[in-house]
Amino acid sequence: MAEHIVASFDEELEHIDRLLRDMGELAGSMTQAATRALLASDTALAQRVISDDTIMDAKQGELDERAITLIAKRQPMAQDLRTVVGAIRMASDLERIGDLAKNIAKRVGAVGQSAAPRRLSHSIDTMASMVLHQVRAVIEHYVARDAQAMVSLRDEDEKIDIHYTSVFRELLTYMMEDPRNITACTHLLFCAKNLERVGDHVTNIAENAYYILTGEQLPVQRPKLDETQMTAES
Amino acid sequence: MAEHIVASFDEELEHIDRLLRDMGELAGSMTQAATRALLASDTALAQRVISDDTIMDAKQGELDERAITLIAKRQPMAQDLRTVVGAIRMASDLERIGDLAKNIAKRVGAVGQSAAPRRLSHSIDTMASMVLHQVRAVIEHYVARDAQAMVSLRDEDEKIDIHYTSVFRELLTYMMEDPRNITACTHLLFCAKNLERVGDHVTNIAENAYYILTGEQLPVQRPKLDETQMTAES
């Protein structure tokens, strides 16, 4: 009987893990599709990202429900409890990544066919690829129970921040060059910031995953780097 | 003995409630101080907001720790479990409000003494007041166990969104008017967006509070209104 309960608990945990993986894949594909839609002014694709967010929310709702029921019914302790609570937190970060992708998708219309995004497409594309790699890697390493990978993932986020700073500066120059670029560029600014924030959520997920896997906090939080906040007026 | 355990559970819940209240007050005062620092170019005040965020993070850490220990040790069911899990979620939203206030504070230097924020100060101030009222009200009503108040709080958020849209448009015109305003205005744009996002987190808290108090979801989610995403290029 005890065996049966244990097996069933594991099955439940596995189901939660599967939901996390689904959400991770969805977060990745939404981020990718939103960036593509933005760079190609593809409003149909943008619309798909917007509807995908409903699926993401539903999956988070299901995960939460299952996790809470699991805690209430099985009263897990130590590592098991950490895993369940950690899954709730990771799901919340994945859901926010979905929101950020949706927000990018919603701006596709406002950015439109403006010339600025075409000139910027390489920079934004590079940034999106870095972010996408992070989103996919964090879930993959979590599923593989690879705690050490989380350390390097968190460090990788710094590169995204540096890239964001350069996109931010580039956008400012386009706005200064021609006021007709301003509306489109402000929306692109938010899009780039959203990608940078996706990176921050990956960092949160990496920290949570590390905690679940090791029971310890990731050593020494690196200082948050958004240099655009320091940009002098000029 | 059972009585003793029940009393102790209530004491623990009360402690968690107290932490939530503290975090709510801190979220309010950080938002207020960050806006003041921004409008008065007060870098010392901005610095205080930045250090307050460490206190916020510590309080969230303590709340999480206590809530998880409570779940593991006392195995609460139904409403009690909902309350504890809900507290974890509300704390996460409050912590993000702290992050947003910190982000505003970090931009104080970059906005500097530029003329644009002075001309905009009335609009931003109004927006900040609306947001501040929401942050304070949501915790107050939660402590008073007033579920109905959550419905109107969520509806109030729409006014903040409308105000944000007008600040956004105003900022665009300043940028178009004089390219020297662009750097300061983009930072102000992020500040205004941050205030709007504080409002979104209040909405999340209201939804969670409603669920804790009634066991039901807040009826009919109002559609998210950020009209700036629809702004046509012009």
Side-chain angles (χ1 to χ4, degrees), chain B residues 62-105:
Chain B
E62 191 191 340
L63 187 146
D64 272 13
E65 195 70 38
R66 280 183 178 269
I68 294 165
T69 310
L70 190 61
I71 295 173
K73 281 202 186 145
R74 307 278 178 192
Q75 292 123 19
M77 305 295 258
Q79 161 130 35
D80 284 341
L81 181 64
R82 222 158 57 213
T83 306
V84 181
V85 174
I88 294 177
R89 290 197 183 130
M90 291 195 281
S92 150
D93 279 299
L94 289 169
E95 188 267 337
R96 297 212 187 231
I97 292 176
D99 283 345
L100 292 166
K102 182 171 85 168
N103 188 275
I104 293 173

Side-chain angles (χ1 to χ4, degrees), chain A residues 64 68 71-72 75 81 89 96 103 106 110 114 175-176 182-183 187 197 201 228-229 231 233-234, chain B residues 64 68 71-72 75 81 89 96 103 106 110 114 175-176 182-183 187 197 201 228-229 231 233-234:
Chain A
D64 272 13
I68 293 165
I71 294 173
Q75 294 122 20
L81 181 64
R89 290 197 183 130
R96 298 212 185 230
N103 187 276
K106 279 184 168 177
S114 155
M175 289 197 252
M176 286 172 191
I182 288 176
T183 305
H187 286 290
R197 285 172 58 207
H201 286 292
T228 65
Q229 289 157 3
T231 308
E233 278 181 279
S234 58
Chain B
D64 272 13
I68 294 165
I71 295 173
Q75 292 123 19
L81 181 64
R89 290 197 183 130
R96 297 212 187 231
N103 188 275
K106 277 184 170 177
S114 156
M175 289 196 254
M176 287 170 188
I182 287 176
T183 306
H187 287 290
R197 285 172 58 208
H201 286 293
T228 64
Q229 289 156 4
T231 308
E233 278 182 278
S234 59

Side-chain angles (χ1 to χ4, degrees), chain A residues 189-229:
Chain A
L189 212 52
F190 279 117
C191 292
K193 183 69 189 170
N194 284 348
L195 287 174
E196 187 260 348
R197 285 172 58 207
V198 171
D200 291 344
H201 286 292
V202 171
T203 302
N204 290 348
I205 296 171
E207 285 170 346
N208 259 307
Y210 188 88
Y211 178 67
I212 293 172
L213 299 173
T214 66
E216 281 167 33
Q217 301 295 333
L218 251 183
V220 203
Q221 174 80 311
R222 66 167 190 78
K224 180 76 197 80
L225 232 175
D226 175 354
E227 282 194 353
T228 65
Q229 289 157 3

Side-chain angles (χ1 to χ4, degrees), chain B residues 173-186:
Chain B
T173 62
Y174 290 134
M175 289 196 254
M176 287 170 188
E177 216 173 85
D178 185 347
R180 285 169 301 176
N181 289 329
I182 287 176
T183 306
C185 283
T186 54

Side-chain angles (χ1 to χ4, degrees), chain B residues 100-225:
Chain B
L100 292 166
K102 182 171 85 168
N103 188 275
I104 293 173
K106 277 184 170 177
R107 294 180 190 276
V108 167
V111 171
Q113 307 282 347
S114 156
R118 274 199 297 282
R119 286 162 68 189
L120 260 171
S121 70
H122 180 68
S123 307
I124 290 184
D125 209 27
T126 309
M127 194 176 164
S129 303
M130 292 163 84
V131 169
L132 193 62
H133 171 262
Q134 293 279 92
V135 173
R136 293 198 164 138
V138 78
I139 297 298
E140 210 170 277
H141 292 310
Y142 175 67
V143 171
R145 301 287 180 262
D146 183 351
Q148 272 319 301
M150 301 304 163
V151 184
S152 42
L153 265 178
R154 193 186 54 177
D155 295 341
E156 280 293 307
D157 187 44
E158 202 170 323
K159 291 188 194 154
I160 295 175
D161 292 346
I162 290 167
H163 206 83
Y164 165 68
T165 305
S166 99
V167 169
F168 178 87
R169 288 177 192 218
E170 211 177 330
L171 275 164
L172 286 190
T173 62
Y174 290 134
M175 289 196 254
M176 287 170 188
E177 216 173 85
D178 185 347
R180 285 169 301 176
N181 289 329
I182 287 176
T183 306
C185 283
T186 54
H187 287 290
L188 283 175
L189 212 52
F190 279 117
C191 292
K193 184 71 188 166
N194 284 348
L195 287 174
E196 188 259 350
R197 285 172 58 208
V198 171
D200 291 343
H201 286 293
V202 171
T203 302
N204 290 348
I205 296 171
E207 286 169 347
N208 259 307
Y210 189 88
Y211 178 67
I212 293 172
L213 299 173
T214 66
E216 281 167 32
Q217 302 294 335
L218 251 183
V220 203
Q221 174 80 312
R222 67 169 189 78
K224 181 76 197 82
L225 232 174

Side-chain angles (χ1 to χ4, degrees), chain A residues 112-167:
Chain A
Q113 307 281 348
S114 155
R118 273 199 298 281
R119 287 163 67 190
L120 260 171
S121 71
H122 180 69
S123 307
I124 290 185
D125 208 27
T126 309
M127 195 177 162
S129 303
M130 293 163 84
V131 169
L132 194 61
H133 171 262
Q134 293 279 93
V135 174
R136 294 199 162 137
V138 78
I139 297 298
E140 209 170 276
H141 292 312
Y142 175 66
V143 171
R145 301 289 181 259
D146 183 351
Q148 271 321 298
M150 301 303 163
V151 184
S152 41
L153 266 177
R154 193 186 55 178
D155 295 341
E156 281 293 307
D157 187 44
E158 201 169 325
K159 290 188 195 154
I160 295 175
D161 293 346
I162 290 167
H163 207 83
Y164 165 68
T165 304
S166 99
V167 170

